[in-house]
Amino acid sequence: MIIDKIALALAIIGALNWGGIGLFGFDTVAFLCGGQMAVLSRVIYALVGLAGLWCVTMLFRSSGEEDTGRAPHAA
């Protein structure tokens, strides 16, 4: 599902940003977008947060819900 891939990419971006903050004290999003309180930074932070929530739902889905793009085969 495309939304799963987008959410995962945003969650990875957020994780890398938090890693940069934790290891180096450097917030890449704030640096690129004009500070932590800049509108664009806040939008990115919100999207990353929503993506993280979406990724939580991926943990609880059954494996049968994955769309492989192939027709199911009979056993």
Side-chain angles (χ1 to χ4, degrees):
M1 198 171 188
I2 190 73
I3 195 165
D4 291 343
K5 291 180 183 182
I6 292 169
L8 186 57
L10 285 170
I12 291 169
I13 289 168
L16 292 173
N17 192 56
W18 274 108
I21 292 168
L23 293 172
F24 308 112
F26 185 74
D27 185 343
T28 306
V29 172
F31 176 76
L32 294 174
C33 299
Q36 288 182 340
M37 295 308 292
V39 173
L40 183 57
S41 293
R42 293 181 64 185
V43 168
I44 292 171
Y45 295 143
L47 288 174
V48 168
L50 291 172
L53 289 174
W54 185 265
C55 287
V56 169
T57 68
M58 291 167 41
L59 290 173
F60 298 103
R61 292 190 210 155
S62 67
S63 60
E65 291 182 18
E66 292 182 22
D67 182 19
T68 60
R70 299 183 202 143
H73 63 280

